[in-house]
């Protein structure tokens, strides 16, 4: 795996910031949850494609609807991205659902349950 160059890292950060802003305020699709965040972005070195990992706070149905809404609005989002960021090529957007935040919350709850169980057993 090739290490990202400084230029590519800057482009990733700028695209992530712009995507988050566009998704938060520019899309009127009711399927897209207001609790959607752009977790990470990876723009290809040739600027042709962009993988965007998004996280949605909510149930699985809400996540599925949001992903469908984002995919259907990809053309509009790409157009807004082109207006906001001056790149040689505006990348094609690929949205991927990121489960890491939900997984972290679940693991944290399980750890808390285990720790509270140990404390109860020690008191007896």
């Amino acid at each position: 795996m090739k290490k990202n160059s400084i230029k590519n890292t800057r482009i990733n950060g700028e695209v992530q910031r712009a995507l988050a802003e566009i998704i938060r305020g520019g899309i009127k699709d009711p399927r897209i949850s207001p609790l959607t965040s752009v977790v990470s972005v990876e723009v290809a070195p040739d600027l042709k494609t962009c993988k965007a990992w998004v996280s949605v706070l909510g149930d699985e149905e809400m996540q599925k609807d949001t992903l469908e809404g984002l995919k259907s609005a990809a053309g509009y989002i790409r157009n807004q991205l082109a207006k906001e960021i001056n790149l040689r090529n505006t990348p094609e957007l690929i949205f991927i659902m990121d489960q890491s935040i939900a997984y972290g919350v679940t693991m944290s709850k399980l750890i808390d349950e285990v720790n509270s169980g140990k404390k109860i057993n020690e008191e007896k």
Side-chain angles (χ1 to χ4, degrees):
M1 188 169 143
K2 185 180 173 196
K3 184 178 176 185
N4 278 348
S5 67
I6 293 172
K7 176 185 167 194
N8 204 0
T9 304
R10 284 184 183 165
I11 290 172
N12 288 345
E14 195 64 25
V15 169
Q16 180 178 356
R17 183 196 58 75
L19 272 179
E21 198 173 291
I22 293 166
I23 291 171
R24 188 177 333 111
I27 301 176
K28 307 235 183 319
D29 192 333
R31 294 178 290 180
I32 298 174
S33 169
L35 300 173
T36 302
S37 60
V38 180
V39 177
S40 178
V41 167
E42 185 180 306
V43 180
D46 63 354
L47 304 177
K48 297 287 184 191
T49 60
C50 170
K51 292 180 184 176
W53 283 270
V54 293
S55 177
V56 179
L57 189 63
D59 61 350
E60 201 167 310
E61 181 74 24
M62 190 179 290
Q63 291 176 358
K64 186 177 145 215
D65 289 345
T66 298
L67 198 57
E68 285 177 15
L70 287 173
K71 285 181 181 178
S72 70
Y76 172 78
I77 296 170
R78 186 177 182 190
N79 186 5
Q80 294 300 313
L81 190 64
K83 290 178 182 176
E84 189 145 337
I85 299 177
N86 186 17
L87 293 173
R88 188 173 353 123
N89 297 319
T90 304
E92 180 183 336
L93 300 170
I94 301 165
F95 293 102
I96 302 168
M97 189 56 65
D98 184 36
Q99 303 291 343
S100 64
I101 294 175
Y103 179 75
V105 169
T106 304
M107 291 306 292
S108 181
K109 285 180 183 177
L110 291 172
I111 290 170
D112 289 343
E113 287 175 13
V114 168
N115 286 340
S116 65
K118 285 183 179 179
K119 289 177 185 175
I120 292 170
N121 290 338
E122 289 174 358
E123 292 174 3
K124 290 183 179 179

